Amino acid sequence: MIDILNLTLEELTDWLRRDLDQQPFRARQIWKWLWHKRARSFAEMSDLSAALRALLQEKAAIVWPAVETTQISSDGTVKFLLRLADGEMVETVLIPSESREGKGRMTQCLSSQVGCAMGCTFCSTGAMGFTRNMSMGEILGQVLVAQEYLGDSPDNPRLRNLVFMGMGEPLLNLSEVMKSLRTLNSELGLSFSPRRITVSTCGVEKGLRELGESGLAYLAVSLHAPNQALRARIMPRAARWPLNELMESLRVYPLKARERLTFEYLLLGGVNDSLEHARELSRLMAHVKGKLNLIVYNLAEGAPYRAPTPEALQAF
Ligand code: SF4
């Protein structure tokens, strides 16, 4: 049985021609049903013949993640716990914002792996360890769930931006993440411009150049430390790629006109939030075209870190 949401348009075209003796335009029709109209069954695909619909039903399945729980916070943030077909659980979060015209928008934080192998010491996913990579269908299934929840249509989308910043390190699941980005970028697919997609990495050498050359998304890099020694302490696996080499790769990272990298810096009280750290960070970033996103550590139960004091935050 083919899991049809895992096929790129080219793969779907090949499969239909090879196994079902169908013309390429059929793939485009089915693709639109899957990604534009969010069809959950082949029976809905009313412009296909009854015989083809029956054949598809026999040979393929449309598998969406199941929504296990939905939590809505007072600030409008929506957190979904999703159950994948094999029972594994992942999280995806919708974060509200307002456009310049005052329209309510959402940014979705997507997971790309079940668990994570990187073991960053401030991250609860890191503490879980790695279970497996997510497929394209599972990654984009999160978007379908969110769009359905929001009642989005192509001419009235509330879901505006996507960030690969949930569970997992996207560059360690590069092939499925790249397939997902192509489907997101495709007009017949989910139709998200690359300017509305950000892939966030903790700094993994493999795949960084490929992502940049693809032009399929913006890049965010989690620094969280302004020097190698501190980075090795709080992000031991990411720090295997020395900070000076990471920064040199980012200095020559392919960027479009007016595009900038985003650096993420999580402020951990008493760990990386001193004025000297701020100065070091500013020197480190001086030769890279990037902007800085400071994040205040969110205290979790049993966490080994604390939030910075308001004074340290202000001074930083
Ligand atoms: Fe957590 Fe991201 Fe680090 Fe993985 S790479 S442990 S998800 S912060």
Side-chain angles (χ1 to χ4, degrees):
M1 182 73 85
I2 294 269
D3 185 344
I4 204 163
L5 290 181
N6 278 335
L7 302 183
T8 61
L9 184 57
E10 293 72 30
E11 288 167 341
L12 179 63
T13 308
D14 282 355
W15 176 68
L16 286 170
R17 185 180 36 77
R18 198 182 54 239
D19 289 22
L20 306 187
D21 199 23
Q22 297 294 319
Q23 298 286 324
F25 78 93
R26 290 288 180 214
R28 292 194 292 276
Q29 277 178 308
I30 295 169
W31 190 255
K32 266 188 121 171
W33 276 105
L34 294 172
W35 299 114
H36 276 198
K37 301 180 197 170
R38 298 192 290 275
R40 304 284 293 257
S41 75
F42 297 109
E44 292 169 53
M45 301 184 180
S46 52
D47 52 359
L48 305 182
S49 69
L52 178 55
R53 277 182 270 160
L55 201 55
L56 286 167
Q57 212 146 323
E58 191 188 310
K59 305 270 185 196
I62 303 169
V63 184
W64 280 35
V67 179
E68 193 74 11
T69 60
T70 306
Q71 279 175 26
I72 306 167
S73 306
S74 52
D75 66 356
T77 300
V78 184
K79 192 192 275 187
F80 299 103
L81 181 64
L82 302 178
R83 185 165 26 82
L84 306 177
D86 63 355
E88 294 294 348
M89 300 287 192
V90 292
E91 268 184 10
T92 184
V93 180
L94 290 175
I95 304 146
S97 61
E98 225 171 64
S99 71
R100 278 192 206 127
E101 303 80 44
K103 289 191 183 146
R105 302 287 194 217
M106 287 286 189
T107 294
Q108 185 173 19
C109 182
L110 297 170
S111 293
S112 56
Q113 295 182 311
V114 180
C116 184
M118 295 309 290
C120 303
T121 54
F122 46 79
C123 170
S124 52
T125 305
M128 287 167 54
F130 174 71
T131 303
R132 68 170 174 83
N133 282 330
M134 289 169 71
S135 66
M136 176 179 93
E138 290 171 336
I139 293 170
L140 298 184
Q142 300 169 88
V143 180
L144 294 174
V145 165
Q147 287 181 325
E148 186 171 83
Y149 173 85
L150 296 169
D152 272 12
S153 62
D155 39 340
N156 185 23
R158 281 187 66 205
L159 182 58
R160 299 294 290 177
N161 298 299
L162 302 172
V163 291
F164 283 75
M165 221 177 260
M167 293 169 77
E169 164 51 60
L171 294 186
L172 291 183
N173 184 15
L174 188 69
S175 64
E176 293 301 309
V177 168
M178 292 298 282
K179 274 172 64 171
S180 304
L181 293 176
R182 282 191 203 99
T183 300
L184 285 167
N185 275 228
S186 159
E187 280 193 15
L188 291 175
L190 283 160
S191 230
F192 276 80
S193 134
R195 280 175 294 133
R196 295 203 277 127
I197 310 170
T198 300
V199 172
S200 174
T201 177
C202 66
V204 171
E205 188 170 10
K206 195 176 141 278
L208 191 66
R209 186 97 206 154
E210 189 179 334
L211 178 69
E213 281 167 359
S214 76
L216 293 170
Y218 281 173
L219 180 70
V221 179
S222 298
L223 277 181
H224 306 329
N227 61 60
Q228 175 63 18
L230 185 52
R231 203 163 137 86
R233 204 175 107 208
I234 64 179
M235 302 169 76
R237 291 193 194 127
R240 283 182 196 155
W241 192 19
L243 189 54
N244 58 347
E245 290 179 25
L246 166 64
M247 295 308 287
E248 179 52 25
S249 296
L250 296 176
R251 195 181 63 75
V252 296
Y253 186 82
L255 294 173
K256 296 183 196 125
R258 296 211 300 266
E259 188 182 336
R260 282 167 183 272
L261 301 173
T262 302
F263 289 105
E264 309 283 352
Y265 194 96
L266 178 67
L267 283 161
L268 304 165
V271 176
N272 63 357
D273 64 343
S274 72
L275 278 182
E276 187 43 42
H277 291 132
R279 289 190 193 104
E280 251 186 307
L281 181 62
S282 126
R283 285 195 294 273
L284 187 72
M285 289 179 53
H287 302 292
V288 182
K289 221 173 133 197
K291 59 185 178 192
L292 181 66
N293 186 16
L294 286 179
I295 308 160
V296 177
Y297 181 65
N298 203 348
L299 212 56
E301 208 178 315
Y305 298 108
R306 58 183 165 81
T309 62
E311 295 74 28
L313 179 61
Q314 197 59 37
F316 197 97

Coordinates of all heavy atoms in Angstrom, one line a residue, residues 203-255:
G203 N 23.4 23.8 13.9 CA 24.7 24.0 13.3 C 25.3 22.6 12.9 O 26.2 22.1 13.6
V204 N 24.7 22.1 11.9 CA 25.1 20.7 11.4 C 25.8 21.0 10.0 O 25.2 21.6 9.1 CB 23.9 19.8 11.3 CG1 24.3 18.5 10.6 CG2 23.4 19.5 12.7
E205 N 27.0 20.5 9.8 CA 27.7 20.7 8.6 C 27.1 20.1 7.4 O 26.9 20.7 6.4 CB 29.1 20.2 8.8 CG 30.1 20.6 7.7 CD 31.5 20.2 8.0 OE1 31.7 19.5 9.0 OE2 32.4 20.6 7.3
K206 N 26.7 18.8 7.6 CA 26.1 18.1 6.4 C 24.8 18.7 6.0 O 23.9 18.9 6.8 CB 25.9 16.6 6.9 CG 25.6 15.6 5.8 CD 25.5 14.2 6.4 CE 24.5 13.4 5.7 NZ 23.1 13.6 6.2
G207 N 24.7 19.0 4.7 CA 23.4 19.5 4.2 C 23.2 21.0 4.2 O 22.3 21.5 3.6
L208 N 24.1 21.7 5.0 CA 23.9 23.2 5.1 C 24.0 23.8 3.7 O 23.2 24.7 3.4 CB 24.9 23.7 6.1 CG 24.7 25.1 6.5 CD1 23.5 25.3 7.4 CD2 25.9 25.6 7.3
R209 N 25.1 23.5 3.0 CA 25.3 24.1 1.7 C 24.2 23.7 0.7 O 23.7 24.6 0.0 CB 26.7 23.6 1.2 CG 27.1 24.2 -0.1 CD 28.1 25.3 0.2 NE 28.1 26.2 -0.9 CZ 28.4 27.5 -0.8 NH1 28.8 28.0 0.3 NH2 28.4 28.3 -1.9
E210 N 23.7 22.5 0.8 CA 22.7 22.0 -0.1 C 21.4 22.8 0.1 O 20.7 23.3 -0.8 CB 22.4 20.5 0.1 CG 21.5 19.9 -0.9 CD 21.3 18.4 -0.7 OE1 22.2 17.8 -0.1 OE2 20.2 17.9 -1.1
L211 N 21.1 23.0 1.4 CA 19.9 23.8 1.7 C 20.0 25.2 1.2 O 19.1 25.8 0.6 CB 19.7 23.8 3.2 CG 18.5 24.7 3.7 CD1 17.2 24.0 3.3 CD2 18.6 24.9 5.2
G212 N 21.2 25.8 1.4 CA 21.4 27.2 0.9 C 21.3 27.3 -0.6 O 20.6 28.2 -1.1
E213 N 21.9 26.4 -1.3 CA 21.9 26.4 -2.8 C 20.5 26.2 -3.3 O 20.2 26.6 -4.4 CB 22.9 25.5 -3.3 CG 24.3 26.1 -3.2 CD 25.4 25.1 -3.5 OE1 25.2 23.9 -3.7 OE2 26.6 25.6 -3.4
S214 N 19.7 25.5 -2.6 CA 18.3 25.2 -3.1 C 17.4 26.4 -3.1 O 16.5 26.5 -3.9 CB 17.6 24.1 -2.2 OG 17.2 24.7 -1.0
G215 N 17.7 27.4 -2.2 CA 16.9 28.6 -2.2 C 15.5 28.3 -1.7 O 14.6 29.1 -1.9
L216 N 15.2 27.2 -1.1 CA 13.8 26.8 -0.7 C 13.3 27.4 0.6 O 12.1 27.3 0.9 CB 13.7 25.3 -0.7 CG 13.9 24.5 -2.1 CD1 14.0 23.0 -1.9 CD2 12.8 24.9 -3.0
A217 N 14.2 27.9 1.4 CA 13.8 28.4 2.7 C 14.9 29.3 3.3 O 16.1 29.3 2.8 CB 13.6 27.2 3.7
Y218 N 14.6 30.1 4.2 CA 15.5 30.9 5.0 C 16.2 30.0 6.0 O 15.6 29.0 6.4 CB 14.9 32.1 5.7 CG 14.5 33.3 4.9 CD1 13.8 34.3 5.4 CD2 14.9 33.4 3.6 CE1 13.5 35.5 4.7 CE2 14.6 34.5 2.8 CZ 13.9 35.5 3.3 OH 13.6 36.6 2.6
L219 N 17.3 30.5 6.5 CA 18.1 29.7 7.5 C 18.2 30.4 8.8 O 18.5 31.6 8.9 CB 19.5 29.4 7.0 CG 20.4 28.6 7.9 CD1 19.9 27.1 8.0 CD2 21.8 28.6 7.5
A220 N 17.9 29.7 9.9 CA 18.1 30.2 11.2 C 19.1 29.3 11.9 O 19.1 28.0 11.7 CB 16.9 30.3 12.1
V221 N 20.1 29.8 12.7 CA 21.1 29.0 13.3 C 21.0 29.3 14.8 O 21.1 30.4 15.3 CB 22.5 29.4 12.8 CG1 23.6 28.5 13.5 CG2 22.6 29.1 11.3
S222 N 20.9 28.2 15.6 CA 20.9 28.3 17.1 C 22.3 28.4 17.6 O 23.0 27.4 17.5 CB 20.2 27.1 17.7 OG 18.9 27.0 17.2
L223 N 22.7 29.6 18.0 CA 24.1 29.7 18.5 C 24.1 29.4 20.0 O 24.8 28.5 20.5 CB 24.6 31.1 18.3 CG 25.1 31.5 17.0 CD1 25.6 33.0 17.0 CD2 26.3 30.6 16.6
H224 N 23.4 30.2 20.8 CA 23.2 30.0 22.2 C 24.5 30.2 23.0 O 24.4 30.1 24.3 CB 22.5 28.7 22.5 CG 21.2 28.4 21.8 ND1 20.4 29.5 21.5 CD2 20.6 27.3 21.4 CE1 19.3 29.0 20.8 NE2 19.5 27.7 20.7
A225 N 25.6 30.3 22.4 CA 26.9 30.5 23.1 C 27.8 31.3 22.2 O 27.8 31.1 21.0 CB 27.5 29.2 23.5
P226 N 28.6 32.3 22.8 CA 29.4 33.1 21.9 C 30.8 32.6 21.8 O 31.6 33.2 21.1 CB 29.4 34.5 22.6 CG 29.3 34.1 24.1 CD 28.5 32.8 24.1
N227 N 31.1 31.4 22.4 CA 32.5 30.9 22.2 C 32.4 29.3 22.3 O 31.4 28.8 22.7 CB 33.4 31.4 23.3 CG 33.0 31.0 24.7 OD1 32.8 29.9 25.1 ND2 32.7 32.1 25.5
Q228 N 33.4 28.7 21.8 CA 33.4 27.3 21.6 C 33.3 26.5 23.0 O 32.5 25.5 23.1 CB 34.7 26.8 20.9 CG 34.9 25.3 20.7 CD 33.9 24.6 19.9 OE1 33.1 25.3 19.1 NE2 33.7 23.3 20.0
A229 N 34.0 27.0 24.0 CA 34.0 26.3 25.3 C 32.6 26.2 25.9 O 32.1 25.2 26.3 CB 34.9 26.9 26.3
L230 N 31.9 27.4 25.8 CA 30.5 27.4 26.4 C 29.5 26.6 25.5 O 28.7 25.9 26.0 CB 30.1 28.9 26.6 CG 28.7 29.1 27.2 CD1 28.7 28.4 28.6 CD2 28.5 30.6 27.4
R231 N 29.7 26.7 24.2 CA 28.9 25.9 23.3 C 29.0 24.4 23.6 O 28.1 23.7 23.6 CB 29.2 26.3 21.9 CG 28.1 26.1 20.9 CD 28.3 26.8 19.6 NE 28.0 26.0 18.5 CZ 26.8 25.9 17.9 NH1 25.8 26.5 18.4 NH2 26.6 25.1 16.9
A232 N 30.3 24.0 23.8 CA 30.6 22.6 24.0 C 29.9 22.2 25.3 O 29.5 21.0 25.5 CB 32.1 22.4 24.1
R233 N 29.7 23.1 26.3 CA 29.1 22.7 27.6 C 27.6 22.6 27.4 O 27.0 21.7 27.9 CB 29.4 23.8 28.6 CG 29.4 23.4 30.0 CD 29.9 24.4 30.9 NE 28.7 25.0 31.7 CZ 28.7 26.3 32.1 NH1 29.7 27.1 31.9 NH2 27.6 26.7 32.8
I234 N 27.0 23.5 26.7 CA 25.5 23.5 26.7 C 24.9 22.8 25.4 O 23.8 22.4 25.5 CB 24.9 24.9 26.8 CG1 25.2 25.8 25.7 CG2 25.3 25.5 28.2 CD1 24.6 27.2 25.8
M235 N 25.7 22.7 24.4 CA 25.3 22.0 23.2 C 26.4 21.0 22.7 O 27.0 21.2 21.6 CB 25.0 23.0 22.0 CG 23.9 24.0 22.4 SD 23.9 25.4 21.2 CE 23.0 24.6 19.9
P236 N 26.7 20.0 23.5 CA 27.9 19.2 23.3 C 28.0 18.6 21.9 O 29.0 18.6 21.3 CB 27.9 18.1 24.4 CG 26.5 18.2 25.0 CD 25.9 19.5 24.7
R237 N 26.9 18.1 21.4 CA 27.0 17.5 20.1 C 27.1 18.5 18.9 O 27.9 18.3 18.0 CB 25.8 16.5 19.9 CG 26.0 15.3 20.8 CD 25.1 14.2 20.6 NE 25.2 13.4 21.8 CZ 24.2 12.9 22.5 NH1 22.9 13.1 22.1 NH2 24.4 12.2 23.6
A238 N 26.3 19.5 19.0 CA 26.4 20.6 18.0 C 27.8 21.1 17.9 O 28.3 21.5 16.9 CB 25.4 21.7 18.2
A239 N 28.5 21.2 19.1 CA 29.8 21.9 19.2 C 30.9 21.0 18.6 O 32.0 21.4 18.5 CB 30.1 22.2 20.7
R240 N 30.5 19.8 18.2 CA 31.6 19.0 17.5 C 32.0 19.6 16.3 O 33.1 19.4 15.8 CB 31.0 17.6 17.2 CG 30.9 16.7 18.4 CD 30.4 15.3 17.9 NE 29.9 14.5 19.0 CZ 29.1 13.6 18.9 NH1 28.5 13.3 17.8 NH2 28.7 12.9 20.0
W241 N 31.2 20.4 15.7 CA 31.6 21.3 14.5 C 32.0 22.6 15.1 O 31.2 23.4 15.6 CB 30.4 21.5 13.6 CG 30.8 22.1 12.3 CD1 32.1 22.1 11.7 CD2 30.0 22.8 11.3 NE1 32.1 22.7 10.5 CE2 30.8 23.1 10.2 CE3 28.7 23.1 11.3 CZ2 30.4 23.8 9.1 CZ3 28.2 23.8 10.1 CH2 29.0 24.1 9.1
P242 N 33.4 22.8 15.1 CA 33.9 24.0 15.9 C 33.2 25.3 15.4 O 32.9 25.5 14.3 CB 35.4 24.0 15.5 CG 35.7 22.6 15.1 CD 34.5 22.1 14.5
L243 N 33.0 26.2 16.4 CA 32.2 27.4 16.2 C 32.9 28.3 15.1 O 32.2 28.9 14.2 CB 32.2 28.2 17.5 CG 31.2 29.4 17.5 CD1 29.8 29.1 17.1 CD2 31.2 30.0 18.9
N244 N 34.2 28.4 15.0 CA 34.9 29.2 14.0 C 34.6 28.6 12.6 O 34.4 29.4 11.7 CB 36.4 29.4 14.3 CG 37.1 28.1 14.4 OD1 36.5 27.0 14.5 ND2 38.4 28.1 14.3
E245 N 34.5 27.3 12.5 CA 34.3 26.7 11.2 C 32.8 26.9 10.8 O 32.5 27.2 9.6 CB 34.6 25.2 11.2 CG 36.1 24.9 11.2 CD 36.4 23.5 11.3 OE1 35.6 22.6 10.8 OE2 37.5 23.1 11.8
L246 N 31.9 26.8 11.8 CA 30.5 27.1 11.5 C 30.3 28.5 11.0 O 29.6 28.8 10.0 CB 29.7 26.8 12.8 CG 28.2 27.4 12.8 CD1 27.4 26.7 11.8 CD2 27.6 27.2 14.2
M247 N 30.9 29.5 11.7 CA 30.8 30.9 11.3 C 31.4 31.2 10.0 O 30.8 31.9 9.2 CB 31.4 31.8 12.4 CG 30.7 31.7 13.8 SD 28.9 32.0 13.8 CE 28.8 33.7 13.5
E248 N 32.5 30.5 9.6 CA 33.1 30.7 8.3 C 32.1 30.2 7.2 O 31.9 30.8 6.2 CB 34.4 30.0 8.2 CG 35.2 30.1 6.9 CD 35.3 31.6 6.4 OE1 35.2 32.5 7.2 OE2 35.3 31.7 5.1
S249 N 31.5 29.0 7.5 CA 30.5 28.4 6.5 C 29.3 29.4 6.4 O 28.8 29.5 5.3 CB 30.0 27.1 7.0 OG 31.0 26.2 7.0
L250 N 28.9 30.0 7.5 CA 27.8 30.9 7.4 C 28.2 32.2 6.7 O 27.3 32.9 6.0 CB 27.2 31.2 8.8 CG 26.7 30.0 9.5 CD1 26.3 30.4 10.9 CD2 25.5 29.4 8.8
R251 N 29.4 32.6 6.8 CA 29.9 33.9 6.1 C 29.7 33.7 4.6 O 29.4 34.7 3.9 CB 31.4 34.1 6.5 CG 31.8 35.6 6.2 CD 33.3 35.8 6.5 NE 34.1 34.9 5.8 CZ 34.5 35.1 4.5 NH1 34.0 36.1 3.8 NH2 35.3 34.2 3.9
V252 N 30.0 32.5 4.1 CA 29.9 32.3 2.6 C 28.6 31.6 2.2 O 28.4 31.1 1.1 CB 31.1 31.5 2.1 CG1 32.4 32.3 2.3 CG2 31.2 30.1 2.8
Y253 N 27.6 31.5 3.2 CA 26.3 30.8 2.9 C 25.6 31.6 1.8 O 25.5 32.8 1.8 CB 25.5 30.8 4.2 CG 24.2 30.0 4.1 CD1 24.2 28.6 4.2 CD2 23.0 30.6 3.8 CE1 23.0 27.9 4.1 CE2 21.8 29.9 3.7 CZ 21.8 28.5 3.9 OH 20.7 27.8 3.8
P254 N 25.1 30.9 0.8 CA 24.4 31.6 -0.3 C 23.1 32.3 0.1 O 22.2 31.6 0.6 CB 24.1 30.5 -1.3 CG 24.4 29.2 -0.7 CD 25.0 29.4 0.6
L255 N 23.1 33.6 0.0 CA 21.9 34.4 0.4 C 21.4 35.2 -0.8 O 22.2 35.7 -1.6 CB 22.3 35.4 1.5 CG 22.6 34.8 2.9 CD1 23.1 35.9 3.8 CD2 21.5 34.1 3.5

